Each structure stands twice: as structure tokens, then as C-alpha cells.
Amino acid sequence: MESSRKPTAGENIAVLRKARGIGQARLARRMGITVSYLSKVEIGLRPATPTVVAAAAEALHVTTARIHGQPFADPSEQADLLNELRGAVRRHTLPKEDTPARSELAQGLQQAAQLRADTKYLELLRILPRLLGQATATALDAGGDAVAWGQVSDLYGCAYAVAHRLAQPDLADMVVSRQQWAAQRTWNPAADAAAAWNEAGTYQSAGQYDDGLAIVERAISHYGRSRSDGPEPVVVLGSLHLRGVVLASRHRDKEATKAHLRYAKDLALQLPDDRLLHNLTFGEGNTALYELAAHIELDQPDEAVRMAAPLVTAPPTGLKPNRVGRFYIDLARARLATKDLDGAEEALKPAFTVSPQMAEIHPMSREVLRVLFVLHQRSRPDLMAMAKRTGLAS
């Protein structure tokens, strides 16, 4: 995926600031950070973290997607495939596809879930439009069949993952509304809660952490009144609390972070291992990874590094590549924050091995690479190879 160099979030902040005729001091005041910090973010000596990007977007009156830019090394194929997905999502009541054989649809659903978990976003994007049409046609023909509509809802969950990772916030919003539409036809509160998890994710991506928290807390309240027995309610409710951990930590609300984490840990004790249901992963292993990430957001990188040590030696079992890859990206962030440059680079390498497509486009893997690249590390061949894969070097 090599191409010309792609601008980073920090560089985009500088470009947008200058285009609006705003000095660093003025923008720093609006963002609530020091001029020195902003200057380092712009030139690549500090990473543009999610909270920094959210503050810059609000101060500059742009979206967080505009700050992150388009990190794709080959945008042409993505653009064509995304247009196909937009069309399929727009035609949510008018699928072009016919109802397939039950075995064909089951195979497609299994493939989509696996590609999402493996962070193979392009491969997933290639099959989603047709698969969405087939699943919707099946559900419409089946009338009020709750299982059929549940399959449509879960597929929209896969579509949300693609739209989110490929930095398409408008598409992600539309997908979530379609997922809610399908979930309401399942008569299953778990499907509604899974849709709410993604809805909160759209606020998280936009840097509107307080609104995202409100969505999570409302979903927890609604779902808590209709809980059933078995692993499903544990996975769904636990996942909502994990979303709350991310939102609260980025909102710098330590008490809310602790509360959501405490509930998640208590729920995780009820599962023997991490489970994947409705595209939600929950268990003790994933909860630990969310706790580690929260330490980074709350400016406690030393604690995150300490937590990571046993996880590197003995990674949690049962977690899919999307979660393992994110763990290594977070570990790289933590090590960079503690000025362990060699350790940050070493942490990124397995992320590119386990979940290459996510590592290539994830905002924080790119920001860590950018800082390492700027800090006199250009001669390191492994670092250069990763930078080329992300489009940070040509």
C-alpha cells in the first residue's frame, strides 16, 4: 500500500489553523492546552491523541474526521466500495438481491463476522453490499421473523466497523440508524443494546464524549430492565460498560471511568473466557485491555506499561485480532509517553502482523509512528517499512 506521503492529524491541525488565520496561542487557549504542547503536536514531537483531536476539532469548527484526514494509501478502491455500501444502506427497504439459499446466507454471515474480527476491512467491504441485500430480502420475505432481522442487525454492526475504521462518519451515522431499524424488528433487547453501543461509538469518533456517555447510560438502564439468563446479557451489558470506560476516560472523568470499569470487572467474573456475540467482545481479557487504555487516556502511561507486562508474556486467550492489534497500539502509545522509543517501535510490530489493515490506518498507530519518525529514527529499517505502509513515508 505504498503511495505519496499522507498528512497526519497534527499536520492537519496546523494547516487548518493557518488557513483560518489563528495563531498557536489563540488555538491553544481554545483547546485548553499549552502553546508548547500544541507546537509539539503540530511538528510531530507529540502525538495528536483522541482528546487533543477532539479539542482541536471543536476549536476549529471542523469534524474529527477532517483532522485525521484520509490515511489510505490507495483510496480509489475504498471509494468505489464505500459507494456501493452507501447504496446498499440507502436501499434498506428496497434490496436489489433475491432471497438466497439458507446455507449461502449462513456462510456469508459467518464470513462477514470473521473478516470483521480479523480487521480485514477491504475484504469485508467487498462482500457487505450484496450480503446486506440478501439478508434484508430474507427478512422481508420472512415477515416478522426475529432471527432474520437479528442477522440484518448484526450485519449492520459489521458495516459500522468498516465505516468507523475507514473514517466515514456520515456513513457510520446512517449505518447506525439502519441497525436500530433492524434491531427494533427483532424484539430482542440485546440487538437494541448492540445498536446503542455503535451509536455511542459515533459520538466517540466525533469527540463528543459526554453525549456518548449519555447514550451508554441510557442503554444500560433500558437493557438492565429486560435482562435474561445466560451469557448474552453479560456480554451485552459488559460491552456497554466498556464503551463507557473509553468515553469517560477520554472525557477525563475519573469517577465515571472507575464506576464503569468496576461494573465491567464484576460482570466479567461470570464468564469463563471472552465471548463474541452481536459483534461485541466481552470477558476478563478484553476488560483488562480497556483498563489499560483508560490509564493512557487519563495520563497514567506508567500504570499502563505495568499492566501490559504480563499481557505481553501471556496474552489473553480467545481474543480476536481486532482486540489484540488494538492492545499493541495502546502499548506503543504508553511506551512512547514514557519516552521508551525503542519499546514503542517494538510494540507496533506485532500490531502490523496481527491486524495489518487496522495498524495501517488507525489514527494512534500513525501518530506514534509519526513521532518516532520525527525523533531521529528515520534510519531504522523496520520503522521505515511501517511508515511506508501507513503512507507516512513514500
Side-chain angles (χ1 to χ4, degrees):
M1 289 192 176
E2 294 187 21
S3 75
S4 59
R5 187 181 176 281
K6 306 298 179 182
T8 64
E11 292 168 323
N12 284 332
I13 291 172
V15 169
L16 291 166
R17 175 180 62 76
K18 293 171 184 176
R20 285 158 173 72
I22 302 174
Q24 281 188 332
R26 183 179 170 193
L27 181 59
R29 283 197 302 272
R30 289 182 180 180
M31 293 174 61
I33 61 177
T34 66
V35 176
S36 174
Y37 190 95
L38 175 59
S39 176
K40 290 177 180 178
V41 167
E42 289 187 350
I43 64 177
L45 291 175
R46 295 289 293 271
T49 64
T51 52
V52 166
V53 169
E58 182 177 6
L60 292 167
H61 305 292
V62 297
T63 64
T64 53
R66 179 67 183 83
I67 300 291
H68 286 304
Q70 293 293 332
F72 319 122
D74 180 16
S76 57
E77 183 182 13
Q78 284 96 325
D80 291 342
L81 293 173
L82 283 166
N83 282 336
E84 290 183 28
L85 181 58
R86 288 178 195 277
V89 173
R90 189 176 297 112
R91 294 189 309 272
H92 67 293
T93 61
L94 298 169
K96 294 191 302 183
E97 291 75 13
D98 295 326
T99 300
R102 184 177 300 179
S103 59
E104 179 185 351
L105 180 59
Q107 182 179 2
L109 294 168
Q110 184 179 8
Q111 182 184 10
Q114 188 63 52
L115 290 173
R116 177 192 175 277
D118 290 342
T119 71
K120 295 181 178 179
Y121 302 118
L122 282 179
E123 292 88 337
L124 177 57
L125 195 51
R126 292 184 185 115
I127 69 170
L128 264 179
R130 182 170 181 269
L131 192 55
L132 266 174
Q134 289 180 325
T136 303
T138 300
L140 289 172
D141 286 348
D145 185 84
V147 173
W149 284 110
Q151 292 172 337
V152 176
S153 179
D154 285 348
L155 271 179
Y156 276 118
C158 290
Y160 169 79
V162 169
H164 167 64
R165 277 288 159 240
L166 298 185
Q168 302 292 316
D170 58 329
L171 178 58
D173 285 338
M174 186 162 62
V175 166
V176 166
S177 69
R178 299 296 192 257
Q179 186 180 14
Q180 292 169 329
W181 165 79
Q184 289 169 1
R185 285 156 175 77
T186 67
W187 303 101
N188 182 0
D192 286 325
W197 191 87
N198 285 332
E199 182 185 9
T202 64
Y203 286 96
Q204 178 180 310
S205 299
Q208 298 169 345
Y209 305 128
D210 51 346
D211 290 335
L213 275 170
I215 296 295
V216 165
E217 288 162 2
R218 183 176 66 191
I220 289 172
S221 176
H222 287 178
Y223 186 68
R225 292 197 294 267
S226 57
R227 287 187 61 187
S228 57
D229 296 326
E232 181 179 76
V234 177
V235 171
V236 171
L237 198 56
S239 295
L240 287 170
H241 280 295
L242 291 185
R243 179 70 88 185
V245 169
V246 177
L247 290 160
S249 60
R250 292 188 181 180
H251 196 46
R252 303 303 178 93
D253 188 335
K254 292 183 179 180
E255 292 307 312
T257 302
K258 290 178 181 177
H260 281 294
L261 192 55
R262 182 172 64 252
Y263 283 119
K265 286 182 174 181
D266 288 344
L267 287 164
L269 293 175
Q270 301 179 38
L271 294 176
D273 50 26
D274 286 77
R275 301 286 186 92
L276 175 62
L277 292 170
H278 302 295
N279 294 311
L280 303 174
T281 301
F282 184 70
E284 289 187 276
N286 205 26
T287 299
L289 302 192
Y290 272 79
E291 182 178 8
L292 184 150
H295 284 304
I296 301 170
E297 304 297 353
L298 293 173
D299 299 324
Q300 300 165 342
D302 291 304
E303 184 62 22
V305 171
R306 184 196 65 77
M307 271 196 69
L311 297 175
V312 171
T313 304
T317 59
L319 292 180
K320 301 297 183 181
N322 60 334
R323 293 308 309 148
V324 177
R326 182 57 195 268
F327 161 65
Y328 284 113
I329 292 172
D330 284 334
L331 176 57
R333 288 183 62 192
R335 287 177 175 174
L336 179 63
T338 60
K339 298 184 171 28
D340 179 6
L341 304 186
D342 291 343
E345 180 183 340
E346 288 303 310
L348 281 179
K349 291 178 184 177
F352 277 83
T353 300
V354 173
S355 52
Q357 287 187 24
M358 181 171 72
E360 289 174 16
I361 62 176
H362 195 285
M364 287 317 304
S365 67
R366 288 168 51 80
E367 283 298 305
V368 171
L369 275 171
R370 179 195 181 207
V371 173
L372 293 176
F373 203 65
V374 169
L375 292 175
H376 314 295
Q377 304 291 312
R378 292 175 175 82
S379 62
R380 301 171 73 93
D382 291 341
L383 184 63
M384 177 63 77
M386 289 188 287
K388 286 182 177 180
R389 290 176 65 176
T390 60
L392 293 174
S394 57

